[in-house]
Amino acid sequence: MKIEHFLEKNEIREVTIFKQLVLNGGRLSYTDMLDYLSVARASLDKDLESISFRIQSLEEQVQVNYDGQYISLSMSDEFSLPQIHQLYLNQSIKVELIRILFKHQEFSITQLTQKLMISDSSLFRKIKELNSYLKEFGVKIRNGQLHGEELQIRYFYFQFYSYIEDKESLVVSHNDKQVTQMMQAMESSLHATIEPENKQRLNVWLFISKNRVASKEKKYAHLRKLMQPYLKDPLYQKIRMMVLRYFSRYSIE
């Protein structure tokens, strides 16, 4: 999964312009940029105009200027290239589509076109593009739902919420009391301390798993085969009993 999978062609070019400017010390000639992108002058001019419009609200942190010969980039010490990526991803229709799919489990074409303010044909095109990238996970968007093995669906969401979604918003949205208690119970039961980085990853996985509980028609065939070698493993047995006891306190197991 790549960031580029969630962006349009012109947005990928714009992000590439930022990358090239960073790699060249914040300054690159217009002709060198044309040669690198292999586009017409009209396309580069349009990209630079789009960039200026997109970063208007961030002018104190990042600026891109063109004086007729050179393109220059200036960024504050608190701003970086990953934040540029996130700026584009936050405005991506494909990213928003995945967010909606995760939150509501399914959608209707009419509801989605109205919410995203795009045509039916544009929506179908974006779904088709997403499906081409989802092949590596063995899942597919069909009839307004994500279809495939449950393990692979959760793995896709894990990658999405770990590397594509806004990391700062994750801290807020994933601040789930039940998930936090679950991790504390795991540390206590295993007599171990989970490192902060691993705790964050576990937090994302538990958040996704909790969300997927309400999903209908989940498929576990492949997962059951994968689990066979671990069923008698002492660590698995210990975690399994802990999880069953923990969730027995709640109506949803």
Side-chain angles (χ1 to χ4, degrees):
M1 181 189 296
K2 299 179 180 178
I3 289 174
E4 288 78 6
H5 292 166
F6 295 90
L7 301 178
E8 301 301 319
K9 289 182 179 179
N10 63 301
E11 294 172 335
I12 294 173
R13 281 202 312 272
E14 290 174 29
V15 170
T16 302
I17 289 172
F18 279 104
K19 287 181 180 178
Q20 283 302 108
L21 289 171
V22 169
L23 291 173
N24 287 275
R27 192 167 183 261
L28 191 64
S29 73
Y30 184 87
T31 53
D32 285 343
M33 188 68 80
L34 273 178
D35 291 340
Y36 184 83
L37 296 175
S38 298
V39 296
R41 286 178 173 272
S43 295
L44 180 52
D45 290 342
K46 189 174 181 180
D47 289 340
L48 292 173
E49 185 179 342
S50 175
I51 287 173
S52 296
F53 177 77
R54 200 181 292 267
I55 63 175
Q56 274 183 341
S57 60
L58 301 170
E59 61 179 356
E60 293 184 2
Q61 296 174 294
V62 57
Q63 292 182 347
V64 174
N65 298 300
Y66 170 51
D67 62 7
Q69 186 175 2
Y70 286 92
I71 304 170
S72 60
L73 167 71
S74 58
M75 291 195 297
S76 68
D77 294 338
E78 294 77 25
F79 209 77
S80 63
L81 196 55
Q83 287 170 287
I84 294 293
H85 290 154
Q86 205 57 61
L87 173 67
Y88 280 81
L89 288 170
N90 286 341
Q91 298 172 11
S92 166
I93 290 178
K94 293 176 188 175
V95 168
E96 184 61 23
L97 198 156
I98 296 299
R99 288 172 181 162
I100 293 171
L101 193 57
F102 177 74
K103 183 178 180 179
H104 301 287
Q105 308 293 349
E106 60 181 314
F107 59 80
S108 73
I109 297 300
T110 302
Q111 289 174 328
L112 207 56
T113 52
Q114 290 177 350
K115 184 174 180 62
L116 299 177
M117 294 184 290
I118 59 176
S119 65
D120 288 7
S121 58
S122 293
L123 177 59
F124 287 128
R125 178 175 59 82
K126 294 184 188 303
I127 290 175
K128 183 178 180 180
E129 290 172 0
L130 282 173
N131 279 336
S132 68
Y133 307 136
L134 289 172
K135 281 183 180 178
E136 65 175 295
F137 296 94
V139 298
K140 184 177 184 179
I141 301 173
R142 187 175 71 249
N143 299 328
Q145 293 179 306
L146 201 55
H147 293 265
E149 275 279 330
E150 183 62 22
L151 178 63
Q152 288 303 108
I153 291 176
R154 296 189 190 193
Y155 178 58
F156 161 70
Y157 280 132
F158 179 77
Q159 295 295 317
F160 177 79
Y161 280 99
S162 295
Y163 304 108
I164 303 298
E165 179 62 295
D166 184 5
K167 308 301 182 298
E168 293 184 6
S169 69
L170 276 178
V171 174
V172 177
S173 63
H174 291 193
N175 187 21
D176 188 298
K177 184 178 180 180
Q178 186 177 343
V179 169
T180 301
Q181 290 175 341
M182 178 70 173
M183 285 194 288
Q184 291 173 344
M186 189 176 292
E187 286 184 310
S188 177
S189 176
L190 298 176
H191 304 291
T193 300
I194 303 174
E195 294 297 320
E197 183 179 352
N198 290 330
K199 190 173 289 187
Q200 185 180 34
R201 297 174 68 198
L202 183 58
N203 182 49
V204 173
W205 184 264
L206 291 174
F207 173 79
I208 293 168
S209 298
K210 183 181 176 184
N211 175 272
R212 292 292 300 174
V213 165
S215 179
K216 302 175 183 177
E217 302 178 4
K218 293 189 286 289
K219 297 179 182 179
Y220 292 106
H222 186 56
L223 176 60
R224 290 192 176 97
K225 291 180 182 179
L226 291 176
M227 283 304 300
Q228 288 302 313
Y230 300 94
L231 295 180
K232 295 182 180 180
D233 181 78
L235 178 60
Y236 167 76
Q237 290 289 342
K238 194 170 186 178
I239 292 178
R240 179 177 181 275
M241 290 306 299
M242 182 210 72
V243 171
L244 290 175
R245 287 171 182 167
Y246 181 82
F247 282 105
S248 66
R249 297 182 295 168
Y250 298 90
S251 58
I252 299 178
E253 296 189 17

